[in-house]
Amino acid sequence: MGLLDIEPGFKQYGPWLALMYTVPSFMGKGIGTYLCKSLDAEAIKQGLTKYYLYTYTAERFYLRQGWKIIENIVYKSNNTSVMYKDLTE
């Protein structure tokens, strides 16, 4: 079961960023930041003004990238942050 099945209130949001991952040996080298900036640029080209994600492992990383928390929930026994990025800011 996915997040939207368990928390149907989040179905109002979209599109969702999913499964971005940096191999641990490459963490801290700017790759995640580069990927986020590239995703933002592509989302803007596609006409998006916001997009969403949820994470239980990388909240601080996404906050540094300008994402904001909508809500903190427990999902699959993990404290999880549901977040959005406003591409107009």
Side-chain angles (χ1 to χ4, degrees):
M1 286 197 121
L3 175 73
L4 301 180
D5 298 315
I6 295 168
E7 298 284 345
F10 291 126
K11 287 182 180 180
Q12 67 181 311
Y13 303 122
W16 292 83
L17 171 62
L19 301 172
M20 190 173 95
Y21 180 77
T22 303
V23 176
S25 61
F26 286 94
M27 288 180 179
K29 298 181 181 195
I31 295 169
T33 298
Y34 173 81
L35 289 171
C36 283
K37 287 181 181 181
S38 296
L39 287 166
D40 289 350
E42 184 60 31
I44 290 166
K45 278 202 279 188
Q46 297 295 321
L48 298 178
T49 57
K50 284 185 183 177
Y51 62 127
Y52 302 83
L53 64 78
Y54 58 93
T55 182
Y56 59 88
T57 60
E59 177 185 304
R60 289 185 319 177
F61 170 78
Y62 287 112
L63 288 170
R64 287 192 308 270
Q65 304 306 313
W67 290 76
K68 295 181 175 64
I69 296 171
I70 296 171
E71 187 174 340
N72 290 307
I73 61 169
V74 175
Y75 173 62
K76 294 188 178 182
S77 302
N78 296 298
N79 292 324
T80 301
S81 295
V82 180
M83 307 176 84
Y84 74 96
K85 177 85 179 259
D86 186 337
L87 298 168
T88 65
E89 294 181 346

